[in-house]
mmCIF file of all heavy atoms in Angstrom:
data_model
loop_
_atom_site.group_PDB
_atom_site.id
_atom_site.type_symbol
_atom_site.label_atom_id
_atom_site.label_comp_id
_atom_site.label_asym_id
_atom_site.label_seq_id
_atom_site.Cartn_x
_atom_site.Cartn_y
_atom_site.Cartn_z
ATOM 1 N N THR B 296 -20.320 -19.909 9.213
ATOM 2 C CA THR B 296 -19.584 -18.769 9.829
ATOM 3 C C THR B 296 -18.195 -19.227 10.320
ATOM 4 O O THR B 296 -17.152 -18.634 10.120
ATOM 5 C CB THR B 296 -20.393 -18.227 10.997
ATOM 6 O OG1 THR B 296 -21.710 -17.793 10.552
ATOM 7 C CG2 THR B 296 -19.643 -16.952 11.612
ATOM 8 N N ARG B 297 -18.241 -20.409 10.969
ATOM 9 C CA ARG B 297 -17.023 -21.010 11.400
ATOM 10 C C ARG B 297 -16.033 -21.169 10.353
ATOM 11 O O ARG B 297 -14.880 -20.874 10.337
ATOM 12 C CB ARG B 297 -17.245 -22.311 12.170
ATOM 13 C CG ARG B 297 -16.009 -22.945 12.780
ATOM 14 C CD ARG B 297 -16.299 -23.965 13.876
ATOM 15 N NE ARG B 297 -17.638 -24.310 13.970
ATOM 16 C CZ ARG B 297 -18.242 -25.346 13.386
ATOM 17 N NH1 ARG B 297 -17.434 -26.183 12.564
ATOM 18 N NH2 ARG B 297 -19.431 -25.676 13.665
ATOM 19 N N THR B 298 -16.496 -21.787 9.212
ATOM 20 C CA THR B 298 -15.644 -21.994 8.072
ATOM 21 C C THR B 298 -15.054 -20.726 7.560
ATOM 22 O O THR B 298 -13.886 -20.627 7.233
ATOM 23 C CB THR B 298 -16.419 -22.717 7.025
ATOM 24 O OG1 THR B 298 -17.059 -23.900 7.505
ATOM 25 C CG2 THR B 298 -15.614 -22.969 5.785
ATOM 26 N N ALA B 299 -15.966 -19.693 7.536
ATOM 27 C CA ALA B 299 -15.485 -18.330 6.988
ATOM 28 C C ALA B 299 -14.357 -17.841 7.808
ATOM 29 O O ALA B 299 -13.378 -17.374 7.293
ATOM 30 C CB ALA B 299 -16.649 -17.422 7.067
ATOM 31 N N PHE B 300 -14.510 -17.979 9.131
ATOM 32 C CA PHE B 300 -13.503 -17.429 10.019
ATOM 33 C C PHE B 300 -12.168 -18.224 9.937
ATOM 34 O O PHE B 300 -11.070 -17.727 9.980
ATOM 35 C CB PHE B 300 -13.967 -17.262 11.439
ATOM 36 C CG PHE B 300 -14.708 -15.977 11.636
ATOM 37 C CD1 PHE B 300 -15.977 -15.791 11.204
ATOM 38 C CD2 PHE B 300 -14.062 -14.850 12.193
ATOM 39 C CE1 PHE B 300 -16.623 -14.556 11.367
ATOM 40 C CE2 PHE B 300 -14.674 -13.626 12.320
ATOM 41 C CZ PHE B 300 -15.970 -13.470 11.894
ATOM 42 N N GLU B 301 -12.298 -19.552 9.920
ATOM 43 C CA GLU B 301 -11.104 -20.326 9.893
ATOM 44 C C GLU B 301 -10.363 -20.026 8.560
ATOM 45 O O GLU B 301 -9.152 -19.902 8.596
ATOM 46 C CB GLU B 301 -11.495 -21.832 9.875
ATOM 47 C CG GLU B 301 -12.013 -22.299 11.273
ATOM 48 C CD GLU B 301 -12.609 -23.717 11.213
ATOM 49 O OE1 GLU B 301 -12.684 -24.340 10.146
ATOM 50 O OE2 GLU B 301 -12.969 -24.186 12.314
ATOM 51 N N GLN B 302 -11.064 -19.903 7.520
ATOM 52 C CA GLN B 302 -10.523 -19.533 6.181
ATOM 53 C C GLN B 302 -9.787 -18.207 6.344
ATOM 54 O O GLN B 302 -8.688 -17.997 5.834
ATOM 55 C CB GLN B 302 -11.525 -19.567 5.148
ATOM 56 C CG GLN B 302 -11.002 -19.427 3.769
ATOM 57 C CD GLN B 302 -10.551 -20.889 3.208
ATOM 58 O OE1 GLN B 302 -10.209 -21.786 3.904
ATOM 59 N NE2 GLN B 302 -10.421 -20.978 1.863
ATOM 60 N N ALA B 303 -10.546 -17.253 6.896
ATOM 61 C CA ALA B 303 -9.984 -15.924 6.993
ATOM 62 C C ALA B 303 -8.670 -15.832 7.789
ATOM 63 O O ALA B 303 -7.696 -15.283 7.410
ATOM 64 C CB ALA B 303 -11.013 -15.023 7.639
ATOM 65 N N VAL B 304 -8.702 -16.583 8.911
ATOM 66 C CA VAL B 304 -7.494 -16.653 9.755
ATOM 67 C C VAL B 304 -6.375 -17.331 9.061
ATOM 68 O O VAL B 304 -5.225 -16.954 9.112
ATOM 69 C CB VAL B 304 -7.766 -17.412 11.076
ATOM 70 C CG1 VAL B 304 -6.562 -17.707 11.831
ATOM 71 C CG2 VAL B 304 -8.767 -16.570 11.892
ATOM 72 N N ARG B 305 -6.726 -18.417 8.378
ATOM 73 C CA ARG B 305 -5.710 -19.127 7.520
ATOM 74 C C ARG B 305 -4.973 -18.237 6.463
ATOM 75 O O ARG B 305 -3.830 -18.112 6.455
ATOM 76 C CB ARG B 305 -6.359 -20.260 6.808
ATOM 77 C CG ARG B 305 -5.630 -21.626 6.829
ATOM 78 C CD ARG B 305 -6.479 -22.714 6.199
ATOM 79 N NE ARG B 305 -7.501 -23.144 7.110
ATOM 80 C CZ ARG B 305 -8.771 -23.521 6.726
ATOM 81 N NH1 ARG B 305 -9.056 -23.448 5.435
ATOM 82 N NH2 ARG B 305 -9.634 -23.961 7.562
ATOM 83 N N LEU B 306 -5.816 -17.523 5.825
ATOM 84 C CA LEU B 306 -5.333 -16.559 4.807
ATOM 85 C C LEU B 306 -4.497 -15.474 5.453
ATOM 86 O O LEU B 306 -3.452 -15.032 4.906
ATOM 87 C CB LEU B 306 -6.477 -15.992 3.976
ATOM 88 C CG LEU B 306 -7.133 -16.945 3.009
ATOM 89 C CD1 LEU B 306 -8.513 -16.440 2.516
ATOM 90 C CD2 LEU B 306 -6.211 -17.163 1.848
ATOM 91 N N ALA B 307 -4.989 -14.990 6.563
ATOM 92 C CA ALA B 307 -4.260 -13.910 7.243
ATOM 93 C C ALA B 307 -2.900 -14.311 7.639
ATOM 94 O O ALA B 307 -1.931 -13.566 7.686
ATOM 95 C CB ALA B 307 -5.029 -13.405 8.503
ATOM 96 N N ALA B 308 -2.763 -15.649 7.944
ATOM 97 C CA ALA B 308 -1.473 -16.106 8.320
ATOM 98 C C ALA B 308 -0.632 -16.497 7.160
ATOM 99 O O ALA B 308 0.546 -17.005 7.300
ATOM 100 C CB ALA B 308 -1.658 -17.419 9.193
ATOM 101 N N GLY B 309 -1.160 -16.253 5.985
ATOM 102 C CA GLY B 309 -0.366 -16.509 4.762
ATOM 103 C C GLY B 309 -0.357 -17.958 4.425
ATOM 104 O O GLY B 309 0.368 -18.337 3.557
ATOM 105 N N LYS B 310 -1.167 -18.809 5.015
ATOM 106 C CA LYS B 310 -1.257 -20.203 4.684
ATOM 107 C C LYS B 310 -2.138 -20.447 3.427
ATOM 108 O O LYS B 310 -2.897 -19.551 3.071
ATOM 109 C CB LYS B 310 -1.823 -20.917 5.882
ATOM 110 C CG LYS B 310 -0.907 -20.999 7.082
ATOM 111 C CD LYS B 310 -1.522 -21.863 8.093
ATOM 112 C CE LYS B 310 -0.979 -21.629 9.505
ATOM 113 N NZ LYS B 310 -1.825 -22.021 10.583
ATOM 114 N N GLU B 311 -1.884 -21.554 2.828
ATOM 115 C CA GLU B 311 -2.760 -21.980 1.728
ATOM 116 C C GLU B 311 -4.160 -22.283 2.221
ATOM 117 O O GLU B 311 -4.237 -22.915 3.234
ATOM 118 C CB GLU B 311 -2.047 -23.204 0.974
ATOM 119 C CG GLU B 311 -2.422 -23.097 -0.521
ATOM 120 C CD GLU B 311 -2.333 -21.681 -1.072
ATOM 121 O OE1 GLU B 311 -1.310 -21.011 -0.864
ATOM 122 O OE2 GLU B 311 -3.340 -21.297 -1.796
ATOM 123 N N ALA B 312 -5.148 -21.843 1.448
ATOM 124 C CA ALA B 312 -6.482 -22.180 1.916
ATOM 125 C C ALA B 312 -7.205 -22.808 0.804
ATOM 126 O O ALA B 312 -7.258 -22.336 -0.350
ATOM 127 C CB ALA B 312 -7.204 -20.852 2.296
ATOM 128 N N PRO B 313 -7.938 -23.911 1.099
ATOM 129 C CA PRO B 313 -8.641 -24.731 0.114
ATOM 130 C C PRO B 313 -9.976 -24.066 -0.399
ATOM 131 O O PRO B 313 -10.492 -23.205 0.288
ATOM 132 C CB PRO B 313 -8.972 -26.009 0.903
ATOM 133 C CG PRO B 313 -9.120 -25.570 2.243
ATOM 134 C CD PRO B 313 -8.125 -24.447 2.498
ATOM 135 N N PRO B 314 -10.300 -24.382 -1.500
ATOM 136 C CA PRO B 314 -11.631 -23.870 -2.055
ATOM 137 C C PRO B 314 -12.742 -24.512 -1.176
ATOM 138 O O PRO B 314 -12.661 -25.519 -0.487
ATOM 139 C CB PRO B 314 -11.852 -24.564 -3.431
ATOM 140 C CG PRO B 314 -10.873 -25.618 -3.505
ATOM 141 C CD PRO B 314 -9.720 -25.299 -2.545
ATOM 142 N N ILE B 315 -13.878 -23.770 -1.089
ATOM 143 C CA ILE B 315 -14.957 -24.186 -0.216
ATOM 144 C C ILE B 315 -16.238 -24.526 -0.990
ATOM 145 O O ILE B 315 -16.665 -23.615 -1.718
ATOM 146 C CB ILE B 315 -15.276 -23.082 0.841
ATOM 147 C CG1 ILE B 315 -13.987 -22.913 1.744
ATOM 148 C CG2 ILE B 315 -16.437 -23.435 1.702
ATOM 149 C CD1 ILE B 315 -14.043 -21.765 2.620
ATOM 150 N N ALA B 316 -16.692 -25.725 -0.819
ATOM 151 C CA ALA B 316 -17.867 -26.106 -1.619
ATOM 152 C C ALA B 316 -19.077 -25.472 -0.967
ATOM 153 O O ALA B 316 -19.146 -25.130 0.240
ATOM 154 C CB ALA B 316 -18.057 -27.577 -1.608
ATOM 155 N N PRO B 317 -20.148 -25.182 -1.706
ATOM 156 C CA PRO B 317 -21.409 -24.697 -1.211
ATOM 157 C C PRO B 317 -21.926 -25.585 -0.123
ATOM 158 O O PRO B 317 -21.856 -26.817 -0.280
ATOM 159 C CB PRO B 317 -22.376 -24.633 -2.428
ATOM 160 C CG PRO B 317 -21.403 -24.588 -3.535
ATOM 161 C CD PRO B 317 -20.269 -25.362 -3.219
ATOM 162 N N PHE B 318 -22.553 -24.995 0.936
ATOM 163 C CA PHE B 318 -23.278 -25.781 1.875
ATOM 164 C C PHE B 318 -24.609 -26.098 1.498
ATOM 165 O O PHE B 318 -25.208 -25.423 0.699
ATOM 166 C CB PHE B 318 -23.291 -24.963 3.179
ATOM 167 C CG PHE B 318 -21.950 -24.841 3.799
ATOM 168 C CD1 PHE B 318 -20.956 -24.029 3.321
ATOM 169 C CD2 PHE B 318 -21.703 -25.596 5.045
ATOM 170 C CE1 PHE B 318 -19.742 -23.873 3.960
ATOM 171 C CE2 PHE B 318 -20.478 -25.427 5.592
ATOM 172 C CZ PHE B 318 -19.416 -24.615 5.086
ATOM 173 N N GLN B 319 -25.182 -27.239 1.983
ATOM 174 C CA GLN B 319 -26.522 -27.592 1.613
ATOM 175 C C GLN B 319 -27.568 -27.262 2.687
ATOM 176 O O GLN B 319 -27.342 -27.435 3.832
ATOM 177 C CB GLN B 319 -26.526 -29.146 1.424
ATOM 178 C CG GLN B 319 -25.622 -29.561 0.266
ATOM 179 C CD GLN B 319 -26.041 -29.047 -1.097
ATOM 180 O OE1 GLN B 319 -27.318 -28.923 -1.357
ATOM 181 N NE2 GLN B 319 -25.059 -28.622 -1.936
ATOM 182 N N GLY B 320 -28.699 -26.764 2.248
ATOM 183 C CA GLY B 320 -29.824 -26.579 3.201
ATOM 184 C C GLY B 320 -30.346 -27.884 3.514
ATOM 185 O O GLY B 320 -30.214 -28.910 2.871
ATOM 186 N N ARG B 321 -31.160 -27.916 4.585
ATOM 187 C CA ARG B 321 -31.824 -29.154 4.952
ATOM 188 C C ARG B 321 -33.230 -28.922 5.388
ATOM 189 O O ARG B 321 -33.526 -27.980 6.061
ATOM 190 C CB ARG B 321 -31.019 -29.671 6.263
ATOM 191 C CG ARG B 321 -31.447 -31.106 6.641
ATOM 192 C CD ARG B 321 -30.678 -31.530 7.848
ATOM 193 N NE ARG B 321 -31.318 -31.026 9.069
ATOM 194 C CZ ARG B 321 -30.791 -30.131 9.984
ATOM 195 N NH1 ARG B 321 -29.481 -29.821 9.847
ATOM 196 N NH2 ARG B 321 -31.449 -29.662 11.012
ATOM 197 N N MET B 322 -34.161 -29.678 4.884
ATOM 198 C CA MET B 322 -35.521 -29.488 5.188
ATOM 199 C C MET B 322 -35.800 -29.853 6.630
ATOM 200 O O MET B 322 -35.399 -30.932 7.158
ATOM 201 C CB MET B 322 -36.451 -30.330 4.363
ATOM 202 C CG MET B 322 -36.879 -29.642 3.107
ATOM 203 S SD MET B 322 -38.453 -30.251 2.379
ATOM 204 C CE MET B 322 -37.881 -31.917 2.112
ATOM 205 N N VAL B 323 -36.483 -29.009 7.365
ATOM 206 C CA VAL B 323 -36.966 -29.310 8.747
ATOM 207 C C VAL B 323 -38.471 -29.263 8.695
ATOM 208 O O VAL B 323 -39.036 -28.168 8.559
ATOM 209 C CB VAL B 323 -36.425 -28.304 9.821
ATOM 210 C CG1 VAL B 323 -36.890 -28.689 11.198
ATOM 211 C CG2 VAL B 323 -34.854 -28.278 9.725
ATOM 212 N N LEU B 324 -39.060 -30.398 8.899
ATOM 213 C CA LEU B 324 -40.536 -30.471 8.732
ATOM 214 C C LEU B 324 -41.152 -30.450 10.073
ATOM 215 O O LEU B 324 -40.884 -31.181 10.942
ATOM 216 C CB LEU B 324 -40.968 -31.809 7.989
ATOM 217 C CG LEU B 324 -40.354 -31.876 6.644
ATOM 218 C CD1 LEU B 324 -40.557 -33.152 5.958
ATOM 219 C CD2 LEU B 324 -40.966 -30.749 5.734
ATOM 220 N N ARG B 325 -42.079 -29.449 10.295
ATOM 221 C CA ARG B 325 -42.766 -29.309 11.527
ATOM 222 C C ARG B 325 -44.254 -29.293 11.263
ATOM 223 O O ARG B 325 -44.794 -30.138 10.498
ATOM 224 C CB ARG B 325 -42.248 -28.092 12.207
ATOM 225 C CG ARG B 325 -40.700 -28.367 12.631
ATOM 226 C CD ARG B 325 -40.286 -27.359 13.677
ATOM 227 N NE ARG B 325 -39.598 -26.287 13.081
ATOM 228 C CZ ARG B 325 -38.209 -25.955 13.252
ATOM 229 N NH1 ARG B 325 -37.515 -26.760 14.001
ATOM 230 N NH2 ARG B 325 -37.676 -24.939 12.691
ATOM 231 N N GLU B 326 -44.950 -28.389 11.743
ATOM 232 C CA GLU B 326 -46.393 -28.501 11.762
ATOM 233 C C GLU B 326 -47.111 -27.599 10.712
ATOM 234 O O GLU B 326 -48.283 -27.802 10.568
ATOM 235 C CB GLU B 326 -47.045 -28.071 13.090
ATOM 236 C CG GLU B 326 -46.423 -28.865 14.337
ATOM 237 C CD GLU B 326 -46.572 -28.170 15.675
ATOM 238 O OE1 GLU B 326 -47.030 -26.959 15.648
ATOM 239 O OE2 GLU B 326 -46.180 -28.715 16.726
ATOM 240 N N SER B 327 -46.383 -26.778 10.090
ATOM 241 C CA SER B 327 -47.089 -25.766 9.253
ATOM 242 C C SER B 327 -47.447 -26.247 7.836
ATOM 243 O O SER B 327 -47.928 -25.501 7.074
ATOM 244 C CB SER B 327 -46.195 -24.560 9.181
ATOM 245 O OG SER B 327 -45.023 -24.878 8.468
ATOM 246 N N VAL B 328 -47.144 -27.532 7.608
ATOM 247 C CA VAL B 328 -47.354 -28.022 6.221
ATOM 248 C C VAL B 328 -48.164 -29.341 6.302
ATOM 249 O O VAL B 328 -47.952 -30.112 7.089
ATOM 250 C CB VAL B 328 -45.980 -28.217 5.554
ATOM 251 C CG1 VAL B 328 -46.182 -29.032 4.224
ATOM 252 C CG2 VAL B 328 -45.285 -26.950 5.238
ATOM 253 N N SER B 329 -49.171 -29.345 5.332
ATOM 254 C CA SER B 329 -49.842 -30.695 5.261
ATOM 255 C C SER B 329 -50.297 -30.960 3.807
ATOM 256 O O SER B 329 -50.148 -30.051 2.922
ATOM 257 C CB SER B 329 -51.092 -30.614 6.164
ATOM 258 O OG SER B 329 -52.049 -29.742 5.602
ATOM 259 N N VAL B 330 -50.901 -32.114 3.587
ATOM 260 C CA VAL B 330 -51.391 -32.344 2.264
ATOM 261 C C VAL B 330 -52.493 -31.347 1.930
ATOM 262 O O VAL B 330 -53.180 -30.800 2.825
ATOM 263 C CB VAL B 330 -51.955 -33.751 2.165
ATOM 264 C CG1 VAL B 330 -50.816 -34.715 2.359
ATOM 265 C CG2 VAL B 330 -53.088 -34.005 3.116
#
Side-chain angles (χ1 to χ4, degrees):
Chain B
T296 306
R297 183 163 6 95
T298 305
F300 274 79
E301 287 172 357
Q302 189 84 338
V304 169
R305 224 173 284 141
L306 288 165
K310 292 184 199 157
E311 209 43 49
I315 295 169
F318 288 73
Q319 297 298 321
R321 192 185 78 236
M322 269 203 300
V323 181
L324 298 173
R325 292 197 266 245
E326 305 159 354
S327 66
V328 167
S329 72
V330 295

